[in-house]
Amino acid sequence: VQVSKQGYEAVSGQARVPQAVAVKEAKIVGTRTDEFGGTLTDFRISLDDPSEMAHYYGLNIYRVEPQVRYLPPNFEPDTVGFFIVPLPIETNAPLLKRAPSGFVLQDGGLNGRTIDLLVSSSAGGLEGVQLVAELRTVSESYYRYQNTLQRHIDSQDGIFGGEPVNVYSNVANGFGVIAAYHQVWKPIN
């Protein structure tokens, strides 16, 4: 991508749109009680990582909620669509790194193998609720930007505190990121 305007220096950047990778399995594997007495729901999201090169991914889990309108004269409910609400998820999996958009990971030499991602959510009331896993196959620039942006966020100590972090940019003569991803959704059983 290149952008130019008369009187300004042109800026440019590029990103490779990655091939989509499907979610092989998405399921609840159990519930447990955390150290504070709260309920945690454990999920396993599996994918078959292609073997030809390094891949980068983004992961989120959402609750699907109906969008309802109430029609006169009796104000009967009518479902007109759905919206998704992200669940708070946590993990101890070394491959997954927290990012502003959920979690990101690099396949880290697992080329050609099945990757099982184990995450937990402290969101309550998930019984009977429609849940979906979102897997993004992301460009390297997306992964690097999300990674460094999260490090920047984590380093903040008030408005003027914290250690500086150089947030990744692949824009020549400017700042920002050109990134790409393919997105797939899988209902969670």
Side-chain angles (χ1 to χ4, degrees), residues 117-141:
L117 305 171
L118 302 173
V119 297
S120 299
S121 177
S122 60
L126 297 180
E127 299 80 21
V129 173
Q130 184 179 358
L131 302 169
V132 294
E134 173 199 40
L135 180 71
R136 293 179 179 180
T137 309
V138 303
S139 62
E140 182 180 3
S141 56

Short mmCIF file of all heavy atoms in Angstrom, two decimals, residues 117-141:
data_model
loop_
_atom_site.label_atom_id
_atom_site.label_comp_id
_atom_site.label_asym_id
_atom_site.label_seq_id
_atom_site.Cartn_x
_atom_site.Cartn_y
_atom_site.Cartn_z
N LEU A 117 -4.83 -25.49 21.99
CA LEU A 117 -4.75 -24.28 22.80
C LEU A 117 -5.75 -24.41 23.95
O LEU A 117 -6.94 -24.62 23.72
CB LEU A 117 -5.08 -23.06 21.94
CG LEU A 117 -4.23 -22.91 20.69
CD1 LEU A 117 -4.77 -21.82 19.78
CD2 LEU A 117 -2.79 -22.63 21.06
N LEU A 118 -5.24 -24.32 25.17
CA LEU A 118 -6.08 -24.46 26.35
C LEU A 118 -6.23 -23.10 27.01
O LEU A 118 -5.23 -22.47 27.37
CB LEU A 118 -5.48 -25.46 27.32
CG LEU A 118 -5.26 -26.86 26.74
CD1 LEU A 118 -4.51 -27.73 27.73
CD2 LEU A 118 -6.58 -27.50 26.36
N VAL A 119 -7.46 -22.64 27.13
CA VAL A 119 -7.75 -21.35 27.75
C VAL A 119 -8.90 -21.52 28.74
O VAL A 119 -9.66 -22.48 28.66
CB VAL A 119 -8.09 -20.25 26.71
CG1 VAL A 119 -6.91 -19.99 25.78
CG2 VAL A 119 -9.32 -20.60 25.92
N SER A 120 -9.01 -20.57 29.66
CA SER A 120 -10.07 -20.58 30.66
C SER A 120 -10.77 -19.23 30.67
O SER A 120 -10.16 -18.21 30.37
CB SER A 120 -9.49 -20.84 32.05
OG SER A 120 -8.85 -22.08 32.08
N SER A 121 -12.04 -19.26 31.06
CA SER A 121 -12.80 -18.02 31.20
C SER A 121 -13.47 -18.00 32.56
O SER A 121 -14.02 -19.00 33.02
CB SER A 121 -13.86 -17.88 30.12
OG SER A 121 -14.60 -16.69 30.33
N SER A 122 -13.44 -16.82 33.18
CA SER A 122 -14.12 -16.63 34.47
C SER A 122 -15.54 -16.10 34.28
O SER A 122 -16.23 -15.84 35.26
CB SER A 122 -13.32 -15.65 35.33
OG SER A 122 -13.20 -14.40 34.66
N ALA A 123 -15.98 -15.96 33.03
CA ALA A 123 -17.35 -15.48 32.78
C ALA A 123 -18.33 -16.52 33.29
O ALA A 123 -18.21 -17.70 33.00
CB ALA A 123 -17.56 -15.25 31.29
N GLY A 124 -19.28 -16.09 34.06
CA GLY A 124 -20.27 -17.00 34.62
C GLY A 124 -21.46 -17.17 33.71
O GLY A 124 -21.61 -16.47 32.70
N GLY A 125 -22.31 -18.12 34.03
CA GLY A 125 -23.57 -18.30 33.31
C GLY A 125 -23.41 -18.76 31.89
O GLY A 125 -24.15 -18.31 31.02
N LEU A 126 -22.48 -19.66 31.62
CA LEU A 126 -22.25 -20.10 30.24
C LEU A 126 -23.05 -21.34 29.87
O LEU A 126 -23.02 -21.77 28.72
CB LEU A 126 -20.76 -20.36 30.01
CG LEU A 126 -19.84 -19.14 30.17
CD1 LEU A 126 -18.39 -19.53 29.92
CD2 LEU A 126 -20.27 -18.01 29.24
N GLU A 127 -23.77 -21.92 30.83
CA GLU A 127 -24.57 -23.10 30.54
C GLU A 127 -25.68 -22.74 29.58
O GLU A 127 -26.43 -21.80 29.81
CB GLU A 127 -25.18 -23.69 31.83
CG GLU A 127 -24.17 -24.15 32.85
CD GLU A 127 -23.59 -23.01 33.67
OE1 GLU A 127 -24.20 -21.93 33.77
OE2 GLU A 127 -22.48 -23.20 34.20
N GLY A 128 -25.78 -23.47 28.48
CA GLY A 128 -26.84 -23.24 27.50
C GLY A 128 -26.65 -22.01 26.63
O GLY A 128 -27.54 -21.66 25.87
N VAL A 129 -25.51 -21.35 26.75
CA VAL A 129 -25.24 -20.14 25.96
C VAL A 129 -24.47 -20.53 24.70
O VAL A 129 -23.59 -21.39 24.75
CB VAL A 129 -24.42 -19.13 26.80
CG1 VAL A 129 -23.98 -17.95 25.96
CG2 VAL A 129 -25.22 -18.68 28.00
N GLN A 130 -24.82 -19.92 23.58
CA GLN A 130 -24.10 -20.18 22.34
C GLN A 130 -22.74 -19.48 22.39
O GLN A 130 -22.66 -18.27 22.62
CB GLN A 130 -24.90 -19.70 21.13
CG GLN A 130 -24.24 -20.04 19.82
CD GLN A 130 -25.06 -19.57 18.61
OE1 GLN A 130 -26.15 -19.03 18.75
NE2 GLN A 130 -24.51 -19.77 17.43
N LEU A 131 -21.66 -20.26 22.20
CA LEU A 131 -20.30 -19.75 22.22
C LEU A 131 -19.62 -20.07 20.90
O LEU A 131 -19.88 -21.11 20.30
CB LEU A 131 -19.51 -20.38 23.37
CG LEU A 131 -20.07 -20.18 24.77
CD1 LEU A 131 -19.34 -21.07 25.77
CD2 LEU A 131 -19.96 -18.72 25.18
N VAL A 132 -18.74 -19.18 20.48
CA VAL A 132 -17.94 -19.43 19.27
C VAL A 132 -16.49 -19.08 19.53
O VAL A 132 -16.19 -18.17 20.31
CB VAL A 132 -18.45 -18.63 18.04
CG1 VAL A 132 -19.82 -19.10 17.60
CG2 VAL A 132 -18.44 -17.15 18.29
N ALA A 133 -15.61 -19.83 18.88
CA ALA A 133 -14.18 -19.52 18.89
C ALA A 133 -13.86 -18.80 17.59
O ALA A 133 -14.36 -19.17 16.52
CB ALA A 133 -13.35 -20.79 19.01
N GLU A 134 -13.04 -17.77 17.70
CA GLU A 134 -12.57 -17.05 16.52
C GLU A 134 -11.07 -17.30 16.39
O GLU A 134 -10.31 -17.05 17.33
CB GLU A 134 -12.81 -15.55 16.68
CG GLU A 134 -12.19 -14.73 15.56
CD GLU A 134 -12.03 -13.26 15.92
OE1 GLU A 134 -11.66 -12.97 17.08
OE2 GLU A 134 -12.25 -12.43 15.04
N LEU A 135 -10.65 -17.83 15.25
CA LEU A 135 -9.24 -18.00 14.96
C LEU A 135 -8.89 -17.12 13.78
O LEU A 135 -9.51 -17.23 12.72
CB LEU A 135 -8.90 -19.47 14.64
CG LEU A 135 -7.43 -19.72 14.32
CD1 LEU A 135 -6.58 -19.59 15.59
CD2 LEU A 135 -7.24 -21.08 13.68
N ARG A 136 -7.94 -16.25 14.00
CA ARG A 136 -7.43 -15.42 12.91
C ARG A 136 -6.06 -15.95 12.51
O ARG A 136 -5.20 -16.14 13.35
CB ARG A 136 -7.27 -13.98 13.36
CG ARG A 136 -8.56 -13.28 13.67
CD ARG A 136 -8.32 -11.87 14.13
NE ARG A 136 -9.58 -11.19 14.39
CZ ARG A 136 -9.67 -9.95 14.81
NH1 ARG A 136 -8.58 -9.23 15.02
NH2 ARG A 136 -10.85 -9.41 15.02
N THR A 137 -5.89 -16.21 11.23
CA THR A 137 -4.56 -16.50 10.69
C THR A 137 -4.04 -15.13 10.26
O THR A 137 -4.58 -14.52 9.34
CB THR A 137 -4.64 -17.47 9.50
OG1 THR A 137 -5.42 -18.60 9.89
CG2 THR A 137 -3.25 -17.91 9.07
N VAL A 138 -3.02 -14.63 10.97
CA VAL A 138 -2.63 -13.23 10.83
C VAL A 138 -1.27 -13.10 10.15
O VAL A 138 -0.44 -14.01 10.17
CB VAL A 138 -2.62 -12.51 12.21
CG1 VAL A 138 -3.98 -12.62 12.88
CG2 VAL A 138 -1.54 -13.05 13.13
N SER A 139 -1.04 -11.93 9.58
CA SER A 139 0.27 -11.64 8.98
C SER A 139 1.30 -11.44 10.09
O SER A 139 0.96 -11.15 11.25
CB SER A 139 0.19 -10.38 8.12
OG SER A 139 -0.17 -9.25 8.91
N GLU A 140 2.56 -11.58 9.74
CA GLU A 140 3.62 -11.35 10.72
C GLU A 140 3.55 -9.93 11.27
O GLU A 140 3.77 -9.71 12.47
CB GLU A 140 5.00 -11.61 10.11
CG GLU A 140 6.13 -11.43 11.10
CD GLU A 140 7.51 -11.68 10.52
OE1 GLU A 140 7.62 -11.95 9.31
OE2 GLU A 140 8.48 -11.59 11.29
N SER A 141 3.21 -8.97 10.42
CA SER A 141 3.13 -7.57 10.88
C SER A 141 2.01 -7.41 11.92
O SER A 141 2.16 -6.68 12.89
CB SER A 141 2.92 -6.62 9.71
OG SER A 141 1.78 -6.96 8.96
#
